Amino acid sequence: MTLDLFDNLPEPDSRGGDRSEAIGPGAMVLRGFALSRASALRDAIEQIQAEAPFRHLVTPGGFRMSVAMTNCGTLGWVSDESGYRYDPLDPDSGRPWPAMPAVFAELAREAAAAAGYPGFAPDACLINRYAPGTRLSLHQDRNERDLRAPIVSVSLGLPAVFLFGGARRADRPARVRMAHGDIAIWGGPSRLFYHGIAPLSDGDHPLLGPLRLNLTFRKAG
Ligand code: SIN
Ligand code: FE2
């Protein structure tokens, strides 16, 4: 066997190490990047949800979202009949969102740096909870003030199919399997790409049971 067999393969990407996969321009998945911190993340989520319980938000069109959500950080993403926005207060309690735990902020910063986005300092973390059958339809993340910062999205619990499309809603999305501990990062040329989650399959995860949790880190303000 000679090395020319491999001549047509892309160069391995030095950013993110050998467990990274490009999924689009400026977009990649870091396999297992959060694994060693998964139980610390789970414990932190339990504390956050004790202060700011998961809830099903209503879309501007009046539909109840099947994904349950809460937030931590100085800004939280919320939706109601009047639209989508970032709010420093939890509308259910009138209090600020729980602070972003250090383990969250550090993981997000390290993952962004490994994907080629150094200096990421998120001020918002949306926590999504999916039960089997739950989906998140194709959308753009576009309520953030500064679109230079990437999105960092951490998957925990049951595996999901991440739909990663293009700049137009009609662009056919790639189907990317996201397992427990995987992190997707998109920014730069793909910052406004459409994305979503296909209906979650049944399952029972050893750490989280019949659930998927997702942490989406953003620089929102
Ligand atoms: C999101 O698009 O905000 C979350 C996607 C996911 O749950 O992986
Ligand atoms: Fe999103």
Side-chain angles (χ1 to χ4, degrees):
M1 178 156 56
T2 72
L3 282 175
D4 347 319
L5 278 176
F6 301 103
D7 275 351
N8 293 329
L9 292 179
E11 284 293 303
D13 193 331
S14 57
R15 297 174 311 193
D18 55 1
R19 303 258 286 145
S20 76
E21 290 168 29
I23 57 169
M28 67 176 66
V29 173
L30 304 176
R31 296 289 175 203
F33 197 92
L35 260 189
S36 64
R37 283 171 263 195
S39 55
L41 297 172
R42 189 264 328 260
D43 293 350
I45 294 166
E46 270 173 17
Q47 289 189 10
I48 291 163
Q49 68 172 296
E51 275 182 67
F54 283 101
R55 78 288 308 262
H56 294 272
L57 297 171
V58 173
T59 67
F63 295 100
R64 176 183 185 269
M65 297 180 74
S66 65
V67 181
M69 298 179 172
T70 187
N71 291 278
C72 67
T74 47
L75 290 169
W77 186 86
V78 290
S79 174
D80 60 24
E81 275 88 350
S82 67
Y84 306 125
R85 67 179 185 280
Y86 282 98
D87 200 317
L89 302 180
D90 176 347
D92 281 6
S93 67
R95 294 193 309 258
W97 297 101
M100 192 180 301
V103 63
F104 278 32
E106 281 161 20
L107 176 66
R109 183 175 44 76
E110 288 171 29
Y117 298 101
F120 182 51
D123 53 14
C125 176
L126 172 66
I127 308 174
N128 291 148
R129 187 184 69 193
Y130 298 75
T134 300
R135 63 193 286 272
L136 187 64
S137 54
L138 281 183
H139 66 278
Q140 295 170 293
D141 287 11
R142 49 182 287 175
N143 301 122
E144 300 73 30
R145 189 165 298 157
D146 181 355
L147 297 176
R148 285 173 301 185
I151 303 290
V152 173
S153 174
V154 179
S155 288
L156 297 170
L158 292 179
V161 175
F162 180 51
L163 305 168
F164 194 67
R168 291 165 307 172
R169 187 183 288 280
D171 292 334
R172 182 207 284 253
R175 297 172 65 85
V176 182
R177 187 173 188 275
M178 296 296 295
H180 179 64
D182 292 348
I183 303 186
I185 298 113
W186 63 99
S190 58
R191 175 62 181 73
L192 289 175
F193 276 19
Y194 281 86
H195 59 279
I197 293 289
L200 198 76
S201 299
D202 272 328
D204 192 18
H205 188 269
L207 186 67
L208 291 168
L211 288 178
R212 171 175 187 262
L213 294 174
N214 170 262
L215 308 175
T216 305
F217 293 95
R218 290 121 177 208
K219 173 94 185 73

